[in-house]
Amino acid sequence: MELGEDVVRHVESLARLELTGDEREAMRRDLQRILDYVAELAALDLADVPPFAETRPGGGVLREDAARPSLPASAALDGAPAAAAGHFVVPPAIAAAEDGDA
Amino acid sequence: MLESLTLGEALAGIERGDFSADEVTAALDARIDSLDPHLNAYVHRAPAGAGAAAGIAPAGGPLCGLPFTLKDNMNLRGTPTGCASRILASYESPYDCTAAARLLAAGGRYLGKTNMDEFGMGSSNEYSAHGPVRNPWDLARAPGGSSGGAAAAVAADLALFALGSDTGGSIRQPAALCGVVGAKPTYGRVSRYGLVAFASSLDQIGPLAKDVADAARVLELIMGPDPRDATSLDAPVPRLLAAARKSARGLRVGLPEGLAVLGLDDAVAAAWEAAAAALAAQGAERVAVSLPRLRHATAAYYLLATAEASSNLARYDGVRYGLRAAGAADLDALYRRSRAEGFGPEVRRRIMLGTFALSRGYYEEYYLRAQKLRTLLARDFDQAWERCDCLLLPTTPGPAFRLGERLDDPLAMYLGDVFTLPVNLAGLPAVSVPTAVHAGLPLGMQVVGRPLDEVTVFRAAAALERAFPFRETRRRAVAAALDAGDAP
């Protein structure tokens, strides 16, 4: 398929990334080359093949449904860029509407 | 020369009272001080002399206080775990990954963390926020990746052994390109708890080591079920060291047909033939097998691995840990800018590709078709097991490439993983063993086994090692390259 800039912009938004114009065009070219390569899969007859579902060759481990000590909240917050009163601090979810290309 | 010992030799020497584990660690520390500025294999080091004294390593145990390294994507409490990414540059682990915890419980001592491609995404160790690792055989060449620091450190005697992780060849490929042994167990053998996720249905931890017996020793210590990883297997740990001492007599070794189409250097083809002949000379039987979908595995892998990565890397949002972009007016801008600033070019590319493959309108054509191909590939392997006990194939299509050579051509980089990534797609165990030198660079051969049959894999790998003793070759080549000084 021909990968247009509109699709790249849409995927960029889904992925919560932000590319500059030059980066976006370079990304489009790279992805186009990769998609041209993986197009070989489109030529295969896979109609009756079930999708792969399990890498593990045997049974897994189950554990008791019992409470265990977990990471203390203070340790979990230690790595946070901003924290206060036992919580993560973030900017408002709804902007004051000055954000450029939203 | 305590730094050049194998793990087996170090254990024997300590038992005889010839030297102590602390002396081995001190020798390694001194060598890292002197040579790592040339290689850039380490991104973090334990404070010298910290080990036993700081209570990090208990005395005794099967590892007797000897040191190990972790890859920069493995959590160990109180150490930075950065995945060689800007986005985790400030991250310090609040807990231990199971594999590291098991090495510590076995009397191992943390020596440091090794450089890698960012989040494990790359095959040259050039996509690292810490800069590239250099191949100790030729400082102008890449060590492979993503566990490039681990492979370079083991090859240059800057580590006794190392843990790496392997999603599409990230242990075996750098092991092959640096002339050391690398092992990826069956999916589920080693707990992934505390390993920073790249592609969860493909990731496995395993050792990079100086010989097959060392890899067997380390793998035995880290395998086994873990209640903290629901994908870990409830299966008994096989006796791999014992397997490595067995003969290859009677093994049916499968040789896949048609590999030349996938782009095999002449030197690699010759080394492959020599390896097959060596196994046959030790009593193994050569069997031709067909893996018709192998040629489509790379296309499927780069859709599936990136799809899983796009999901796993959604957690880096500038909120709970890691880098946060300054000045974002709202939450969505915070996400986008933090991720744009924090992720390097290859990680962004893979997140984009994976997000695309999973997105509405493209999911069926890309992600789903790739999962169907994966089913067929697994069936190909199943059919091969009816005719053979293990497979022998090259680890890489060619030797170590020059730094920069593939940096601007992601597809060329991906195609170099053609022989390793099918093994991850099918969840199989494999060991790469160095068997040949071409134009001054090592080549590796890979033994691939049935699910859970690491025993046969190690048996065949050890037979290869007996036929192609590599240690002295590696020692001389690395000494010559490091004597020659820094890269141009």
Side-chain angles (χ1 to χ4, degrees), chain A residues 18 33 44 50 56 89 99, chain B residues 230 324 336 369 375 409:
Chain A
E18 196 167 80
R33 282 198 66 213
L44 304 175
R56 198 178 46 188
V89 174
D99 185 50
Chain B
R324 167 180 287 199
R336 287 187 280 110
R369 289 188 79 81
T375 298
D409 188 350

Side-chain angles (χ1 to χ4, degrees), chain A:
Chain A
M1 66 170 278
E2 282 298 312
L3 191 67
E5 194 202 323
D6 56 329
V7 177
V8 177
R9 276 184 187 276
H10 174 61
V11 172
E12 187 182 323
S13 145
L14 290 175
R16 299 294 188 274
L17 287 171
E18 196 167 80
L19 303 176
T20 65
D22 287 350
E23 286 172 344
R24 190 173 298 116
E25 175 52 23
M27 179 70 76
R28 194 197 63 73
R29 282 198 306 268
D30 286 344
L31 295 181
Q32 182 70 64
R33 282 198 66 213
I34 297 166
L35 292 180
D36 288 347
Y37 175 73
V38 304
E40 67 185 45
L41 296 180
L44 304 175
D45 179 10
L46 300 170
D48 299 323
V49 182
F52 194 83
E54 170 71 276
T55 319
R56 198 178 46 188
V61 290
L62 299 174
R63 64 172 182 243
E64 290 299 313
D65 184 16
R68 295 177 302 148
S70 57
L71 205 60
S74 61
L77 288 167
D78 269 351
H87 294 78
F88 299 108
V89 174
V90 295
I94 298 170
E98 77 267 40
D99 185 50
D101 59 353

